[in-house]
Amino acid sequence: RGRFEAEAMLGAINSRLGGELTLPEAQRLGALAFEPEPAVLDAARALRRRLPVALLTDDSALLSEGLEAHLPAVAETFATRLFSCQFRRLKNDPGLFREAAGLLQCEPEALLLVDDSARSLASAAEAGWQVLAFPDVPAGLAALRERLGELLAD
């Protein structure tokens, strides 16, 4: 995570597996592990009508470069996409959130991280971000409605 660009990752994968995957094949295989939840994408689209939304993920450069081709609904929903590999840090590092705030040209306290990881939420809070726990889809959507209900309304 953050140590390799997509081509370098592909080389390491092929070397370890003794294979000859192409970059598009590796991106497709990587995308198979990502299961977008339609209700979550719908909530993000509803919020996007009223305020900026972005994707911030620890996924690799393979997914970053292959998102449009292999997860078009996610790519369409999140025009702004931040991958931890850009920062060479993971979301468990508060420095990632400080750098992301700068890249987004926002004060940290104006940003809200919605995440299922307690470590990521703690790191974001340490960096001054607001946080909202999203432990699973039903509970996460309920928490979003409670916190941002008026922004989710049609």
Side-chain angles (χ1 to χ4, degrees), residues 77-117:
T77 301
F78 298 99
T80 302
R81 297 174 223 128
L82 305 176
F83 286 76
S84 62
C85 57
Q86 294 172 254
F87 304 96
R88 304 216 182 274
R89 302 170 186 256
L90 295 175
K91 292 190 307 184
N92 62 6
D93 181 342
L96 180 144
F97 294 98
R98 290 185 195 98
E99 288 184 46
L103 184 67
L104 295 168
Q105 299 179 335
C106 291
E107 293 299 320
E109 59 273 4
L111 297 167
L112 171 67
L113 177 69
V114 178
D115 206 291
D116 63 347
S117 164

Side-chain angles (χ1 to χ4, degrees), residues 17-82:
L17 297 179
E20 293 296 323
L21 284 174
T22 65
L23 186 57
E25 289 170 333
Q27 290 168 335
R28 183 183 61 76
L29 290 172
L32 289 175
F34 198 114
E35 295 183 43
E37 175 61 47
V40 174
L41 295 178
D42 289 345
R45 288 184 199 109
L47 287 172
R48 185 183 67 194
R49 289 193 295 267
R50 292 175 173 81
L51 52 91
V53 297
L55 174 71
L56 174 58
T57 179
D58 276 338
D59 282 299
S60 73
L62 282 174
L63 187 61
S64 171
E65 295 180 19
L67 197 68
E68 285 89 1
H70 303 289
L71 293 167
V74 175
E76 185 278 325
T77 301
F78 298 99
T80 302
R81 297 174 223 128
L82 305 176

